[in-house]
Amino acid sequence: MTRTPTSRAQTPSAVELEIIRASLSGIVQEMQNALFRTGFSTIIRESQDASCAILDADGDVIAQHVVLPLHLGAFPACTAAVLRNFGDDIRDGDAFLINDPYEGGSPHAPDMAVITPAFHAGKLVGFCASIAHKGDIGGPVPGSCSGQAREVFNEGLQLPAVRYQRGYAAYGDVDRIIRANSRTPDLVLGDIRGQLGCARLGERRLCDLLEKFGDAKCSLAFQELGRIAEARIRAVVAGWADGEFTAERFVDDDGVELNKPIRIHVKATKVGDRISFDFSGSADQTRGPANIRPPLLRAACAYAVISLIDPGIFISSGVLRAFDVQSRPGSVLDPVHPAPVNTYNPTVHAIVDVIFAAIGHLVPDRARADGCGSRSIIIGGRTTSSGKGYVQYEIVGGGAGALGTGDGASGTTVNQSNAKIAPIEIIESEFPTRVLAFELIKDSGGAGQFRGGLGLRRRYLNLADARFSIRSTKHVIPAAGMAGGGPGRTGDILMRPDSPDCEHLPSRYADYPLQKGMVFELQTPGGGGFGDPFDRDPELVLADVQNGRVSPECAAESYGVWLTDEGGTWVIDAPLTDKLRSQDRTDQTSTDKIRRQI
C-alpha cells in the first residue's frame, strides 16, 4: 500500500493497533469458518484444505488464517497476477479466479484462488482471497493429481488470472469452461461459490473496520503490523550464533524415475539479525511432478522460521521480508515451465526438515526429528445409483518427529500439511467404500530418549470399480531421527494385502484399477526419534508397551528395557534391563545372548 504523509492524529495508538490486529484475525477466521460451512466437497468441509487472507492494495498479505502455511507465499503471487493483468480495470463487485502455478502462485492447479477487491469510499483498499483444493479439474486421472505427470498440461485445467464476476454478476462462460473440464462439476462450482461468499463477507468486515478507524489509520496499522512481525523475527535471529550451516534430505522419487531419490540441500547463513537460505545445491528439476515453484519455497522457509521462533506470531508479508531465499533456475525448487508440480508436498516437507536439521540446534527447545511427510489417496469412479462421477479425496497423516522435550504426536498431519483426516462416517456415507481398520501401527515411531509418533493403518474395502491414485512420501527413505534417535518406520500402500497377489505400489502412483470387492491398505510412516533410546526412562517404555505403542521385543532391542509378563501384566526386570543397557551396542546379537541366558 502506497505510503503518504500522515498527521499524528492518524497514527494508531498501541490500544488501537491491538484492536485492529485482533479485528483482522477475527475477519479471516470468520471468512474461514464461512468457507468450511458452505463447502460442497469433503475436501473443504471435512478435511479443511483451504486458507483465507486479506491483502492490501499492493497485494501484500496483511492477515491470514493459517490452516495451510504454504498459502502465505501463494496469496501474494496470485494477487500479483491479478494486478498485472487487470490493474487499470479493477472495480467494486469484481471477482477473479486463478490456479496456474506459473502465472500465479498456486501450489498446483487443483488449488484455485478466488480473489475479490475491497473498495471503501470509492477507493481500492485491498483484496479478500481464499485458496481451496478442488476435487477434480480434469486431466488424465480422477482428482487431477497424477503421480506420473510429465508436464503441467497433464495436471488439469490451467486458469491464468481471469475475471469471474463484474458488478457482482457472474460470467457464465467461465463456469461452463470449468464444468466441461471436471468429473465433479457441481462440487467444484459449489466450492468456488463458497469461496466467493467468504470473500464478500471479508469485504464487508474490512470496510466496517475502515469505517471505524479511518482509511489512513488502518493503512498505517497494517504497515506497522507487518513491521512488527519482521522485527520480531530479526530480534530473535540476532541472538543466534553467526555461522554457515548445511544439511540435506532426500525425497523417495518423482513418480517417473522410481529409483532416483531427489536431493534437497540448504546452506543457511546467519549474520547479525539476518538469515538466508540457499537451495542452489538441490537436484535439477524432475521429470515427474515433484517440483515446486519459488512462492512455495519461500512459504516453506517462512513456516520453518515461524516454528523455530514464535508459532503465535501474527501472519503477514512482514514475515517474508525477515529472511532471504535463493534457488537455482532449472532446479526442483525453481523449475522451468512446463515442468510438472502437482505432487509438490513431499518436496516441501523435505525443505522444512532440512531447515530444522541445519539450524534446529540453534534453538534447542524447538529442535525436532523428521516427521511422516504427507499423503493423499484419491479414488474416482461413478456411483451405481446415479451414474454421476465422484472423487474420494483423503488426506492421511502419520507420526510426528520427536522433540528435544517430548514424544512426537501419533496419527497426525505434520509441518505445513495441516488438513484433517476425513471421518469414517463421512467416507462411508458418501462414497462406495468401507473402512475396515483405522489404527496406530505398533513400533512405527523412531526409538529415542523421546519416541517418534506412530503411523496409521487404514484398510478399505472397495465397493465399486474405480481408479486409484496416491501421492505420498517416506515409503523408501524413512523419517530421520535426531541427536542419536532412530528413524521412523517407512510407509506402504498394499493392494490385496492378505492375498498371494499382494502388490506394493510406489509412493506416487496414478490410475491403478480398483475392482469391486478389492481390499487395499495404507500404512503411513512414523516420526523419527530424538536422543539415545537407552536414555529413555524405562517407566515410559513400560507405559508404551502397556498402551500398545511399543512391543516387548522392541522394548528390549531398541530401548534396552527387559519386560516380563507376570499374570498378564508387564513389569520391568531391573537387573536384566541394567545388563542389556550395559552391553556393547555395536554387537547386534547382544539381546539374543541375554535371551539365551534366561
Side-chain angles (χ1 to χ4, degrees):
M1 188 172 288
T2 304
R3 301 182 181 183
T4 56
T6 59
S7 67
R8 184 178 297 274
Q10 293 173 330
T11 302
S13 68
V15 172
E16 289 173 324
L17 185 65
E18 177 58 21
I19 292 172
I20 292 171
R21 185 204 64 77
S23 297
L24 290 170
S25 294
I27 293 169
V28 290
Q29 177 72 69
E30 189 176 5
M31 291 170 63
Q32 196 83 53
N33 290 342
L35 178 56
F36 292 158
R37 290 169 180 165
T38 57
F40 277 45
S41 67
T42 58
I43 300 166
I44 292 180
R45 59 182 167 81
E46 301 297 337
S47 296
Q48 300 187 352
D49 191 349
S51 289
C52 294
I54 302 172
L55 302 95
D56 66 21
D58 293 328
D60 289 329
V61 174
I62 57 177
Q64 180 186 341
H65 181 60
V66 182
V67 175
L68 300 175
L70 292 185
H71 293 168
L72 177 60
F75 281 121
C78 289
T79 306
V82 171
L83 287 167
R84 192 165 56 246
N85 288 278
F86 299 96
D88 295 330
D89 187 26
I90 296 177
R91 303 177 190 173
D92 194 11
D94 280 351
F96 303 93
L97 299 183
I98 182 170
N99 75 334
D100 187 324
Y102 286 88
E103 168 73 9
S106 296
H108 59 172
D111 287 336
M112 192 169 291
V114 175
I115 302 169
T116 66
F119 282 79
H120 185 249
K123 176 185 176 183
L124 176 66
V125 294
F127 296 89
C128 293
S130 64
I131 297 175
H133 188 102
K134 299 294 171 287
D136 186 274
I137 54 163
V141 300
S144 311
C145 290
S146 171
Q148 279 78 56
R150 285 173 166 78
E151 55 184 4
V152 292
F153 305 113
N154 300 141
E155 300 177 357
L157 177 67
Q158 313 278 320
L159 289 176
V162 296
R163 198 188 310 273
Y164 187 63
Q165 285 191 340
R166 166 132 277 181
Y168 301 100
Y171 284 155
D173 290 348
V174 178
D175 279 353
R176 285 193 289 274
I177 290 171
I178 293 172
R179 180 175 288 278
N181 282 274
S182 175
R183 297 171 178 86
T184 58
D186 292 336
L187 294 182
V188 170
L189 292 173
D191 286 344
I192 290 174
R193 289 172 189 136
Q195 289 182 257
L196 184 62
C198 83
R200 297 302 187 199
L201 173 63
E203 290 176 46
R204 296 195 299 272
R205 298 292 187 262
L206 180 59
C207 287
D208 289 344
L209 181 64
L210 295 170
E211 193 69 32
K212 181 176 181 179
F213 290 99
D215 289 10
K217 185 170 288 188
C218 283
S219 176
L220 287 174
F222 300 160
Q223 294 170 23
E224 180 65 7
L225 289 170
R227 188 200 67 77
I228 290 172
E230 180 182 357
R232 164 66 176 153
I233 293 173
R234 286 181 178 275
V236 174
V237 169
W240 295 353
D242 285 356
E244 184 176 288
F245 314 95
T246 61
E248 65 182 10
R249 289 291 186 269
F250 290 87
V251 180
D252 287 355
D253 56 63
D254 69 351
V256 174
E257 297 180 282
L258 298 183
N259 297 314
K260 184 179 179 181
I262 305 160
R263 183 186 193 226
I264 305 298
H265 180 275
V266 69
K267 179 175 71 176
T269 304
K270 188 271 173 183
V271 179
D273 68 349
R274 195 78 182 178
I275 190 165
S276 63
F277 302 102
D278 184 353
F279 292 91
S280 300
S282 298
D284 291 341
Q285 70 182 51
T286 60
R287 293 176 60 200
N291 304 290
I292 71 166
R293 298 275 296 125
L296 267 68
L297 174 60
R298 179 167 287 274
C301 292
Y303 168 81
V305 168
I306 291 168
S307 300
L308 286 165
I309 290 176
D310 182 4
I313 200 168
F314 185 74
I315 302 301
S316 73
S317 286
V319 173
L320 299 175
R321 294 192 290 269
F323 56 87
D324 298 311
V325 180
Q326 181 179 345
S327 57
R328 175 172 55 86
S331 71
V332 66
L333 307 183
D334 193 354
V336 177
H337 186 274
V341 298
N342 74 56
T343 60
Y344 63 91
N345 242 326
T347 303
V348 177
H349 281 281
I351 293 167
V352 174
D353 288 341
V354 83
I355 291 175
F356 269 87
I359 63 174
H361 62 281
L362 297 178
V363 193
D365 60 333
R366 296 281 170 82
R368 60 146 179 84
D370 293 358
C372 64
S374 63
R375 66 218 32 84
S376 58
I377 61 169
I378 307 166
I379 305 171
R382 296 196 171 273
T383 61
T384 55
S385 56
S386 66
K388 288 186 176 181
Y390 72 89
V391 173
Q392 176 185 335
Y393 177 93
E394 293 185 56
I395 299 170
V396 187
L403 308 173
T405 55
D407 295 344
S410 297
T412 186
T413 48
V414 300
N415 295 341
Q416 76 286 345
S417 299
N418 203 26
K420 297 182 178 180
I421 300 174
I424 292 173
E425 296 83 355
I426 297 297
I427 294 300
E428 294 189 339
S429 64
E430 297 195 16
F431 305 109
T433 300
R434 293 292 176 267
V435 180
L436 305 179
F438 184 32
E439 59 191 0
L440 297 174
I441 301 174
K442 185 182 295 186
D443 294 337
S444 57
Q449 180 181 5
F450 299 106
R451 175 183 43 74
L454 274 58
L456 291 169
R457 175 181 290 106
R458 200 156 158 109
R459 179 176 285 210
Y460 299 81
L461 171 62
N462 191 56
L463 301 179
D465 290 346
R467 301 160 67 187
F468 175 89
S469 297
I470 183 171
R471 50 191 188 121
S472 185
T473 189
K474 299 188 187 300
H475 290 202
V476 178
I477 301 169
M482 179 169 275
R489 180 184 184 271
T490 54
D492 205 351
I493 178 70
L494 300 91
M495 298 295 170
R496 306 179 191 88
D498 298 324
S499 165
D501 299 326
C502 175
E503 296 179 75
H504 297 259
L505 300 186
S507 52
R508 300 177 207 244
Y509 197 83
D511 222 15
Y512 184 93
L514 283 180
Q515 299 171 344
K516 181 178 179 180
M518 183 183 292
V519 173
F520 66 94
E521 180 173 299
L522 174 65
Q523 298 175 7
T524 69
F530 194 107
D532 188 338
F534 276 33
D535 289 338
R536 186 167 178 80
D537 185 340
E539 292 292 339
L540 293 178
V541 178
L542 174 62
D544 279 344
V545 172
Q546 291 171 333
N547 291 324
R549 296 186 177 94
V550 172
S551 67
E553 294 77 14
C554 180
E557 294 169 4
S558 297
Y559 295 95
V561 176
W562 195 276
L563 303 176
T564 59
D565 186 350
E566 294 186 357
T569 301
W570 291 105
V571 297
I572 298 171
D573 187 317
L576 286 177
T577 294
D578 291 341
K579 190 172 184 178
L580 257 184
R581 289 192 162 188
S582 66
Q583 293 286 324
D584 177 5
R585 294 166 63 186
T586 62
D587 182 357
Q588 300 296 317
T589 65
S590 60
T591 305
D592 291 336
K593 290 177 181 178
I594 291 182
R595 281 203 179 97
R596 288 195 295 271
Q597 291 171 14
I598 63 171

